Structures are given as C-alpha cells and as structure tokens.
Amino acid sequence: LHHQIKEDLFLHLLSGHFAPGLALPSEIALCDHYGVSRGTLRRAISDLVSDGYLERYRGRGTFVSRSKLESGVVGAYNRFHVVGPPLDPGGRILLCRRIRAAKDIGAMLDVSAGTILWMLERVRFTDGKPVSLQTSFLPFELCPGLTRHSLAERHLIDVLRDVYGVHLGSAIEYVEPTVADGHAARHLGVRLRTPLFQIERTTYTVGGVIAE
C-alpha cells in the first residue's frame, strides 16, 4: 500500500502539481486523503526523501525538492529502439486494468482528466532473470481489448504494431539512479535499497501522438 501511495505522490511531483520548494499537505491531511495509517504514509514519504524528491525538516514539515528529472541524464531518439541486453518477450503481468486518468496522469499523456487509460505493470526478464519492473499508461482508444492479447508472451511494441497498427517512432527518456523499495526488491529478487536505474519514458507514434 505504501508503494502505491509513493507512486501516486511521485506522479503529482512529476506533473508539477507540487512546485519545487512547496510544503506538502500535513500528514493528517494526507492520511485522510489516502485512508491509511500515519505509519504507512511515512514509509511512502521516507522512500521519496531517500530518492531525493522530497526534503524533510524537523518542526517545519516536508518540502518538494528541485526536480531531479531536470538534472538527470536525458536521452531522446527519433527512431524507437531497445538498447542493452534484449528483453525476453512478454513478462510476468502484475496488473493490467482500465483506469480513468487523474489530472496529473492525463497531463503526462496529453489527454483530459477522466479519459480511460490502460495501466499495465510487468516484470521483464532477460534469459529468465528479472531485470526490469515496468509500469505503463496507454490511451485506451489506442488499443482497446488489450487484455485479450497474451502480453505475458509478446512484446508490447509488437502487439501495438501487429494488432492495432500503432507504430512507435520516437521517445524521450530521463534516467537517474535510485534504490529498490520493498515492491521493486520483491519483484526483481534483490535486496532492499539495492542501487537501480529509474527511467521515465514518453513514447510517441510516428504521427507524434503519445502512445505510452
């Protein structure tokens, strides 16, 4: 549960909903918003503090750090490709369901709040070894019926191309170091706080529409 709260807060930070230097709402307000205990909330906030997205000051509260993404390694390429050791097709599907875009996620995908999206979370493998934990958001209208296809056995890029005629053309990535929280450590089979790379990628179709 604390991982889900961490991811939701991270999306708020990424979208600029909380400006750098701004204080977060009080712990009481956030606990009420998420319907969780203070201990669960503090675990989520502590992870974001450890990752450098938030700063905590005794007696003053928790504040938003300067965006790490602005100072991270940025990569852009005009021909979509995969680098590094090849990923096995498919992966272990942790979640694949329809959601309605919150304002922040909608802004990232350039769609209105309330737009129906796919949320897909997978563990990806190379030679059978877990190497990546991926969460994807895709416009529902781009690939309706996505759950009918065997995403556990095929590359998503192949399903988009072969089934829906969606050809990916370019992408922008932000890459930075992080450490494994409990969710990532469990699914990647590594120790808690093992150093990892975190990649935020926006992928566009050849027509310039955000696909993922």
Side-chain angles (χ1 to χ4, degrees), residues 119-207:
M119 180 178 178
L120 171 65
E121 186 173 20
R122 300 171 293 167
V123 180
R124 305 296 307 278
F125 298 83
T126 292
D127 293 332
K129 179 180 179 181
V131 294
S132 177
L133 178 63
Q134 298 182 354
T135 301
S136 300
F137 297 94
L138 304 99
F140 177 81
E141 64 179 14
L142 199 69
C143 46
L146 187 63
T147 53
R148 294 200 298 266
H149 304 284
S150 184
L151 299 175
E153 300 174 0
R154 300 183 63 188
H155 289 296
L156 178 62
I157 186 174
D158 292 339
V159 173
L160 291 175
R161 181 192 64 228
D162 299 340
V163 177
Y164 298 103
V166 176
H167 296 267
L168 304 182
S170 61
I172 298 175
E173 289 184 345
Y174 297 89
V175 184
E176 62 181 345
T178 187
V179 293
D181 62 9
H183 183 71
R186 181 168 65 256
H187 290 294
L188 294 177
V190 298
R191 293 180 180 273
L192 188 68
R193 302 195 62 75
T194 293
L196 304 174
F197 283 113
Q198 178 167 290
I199 302 173
E200 295 292 330
R201 182 177 66 226
T202 303
T203 309
Y204 299 83
T205 68
V206 291

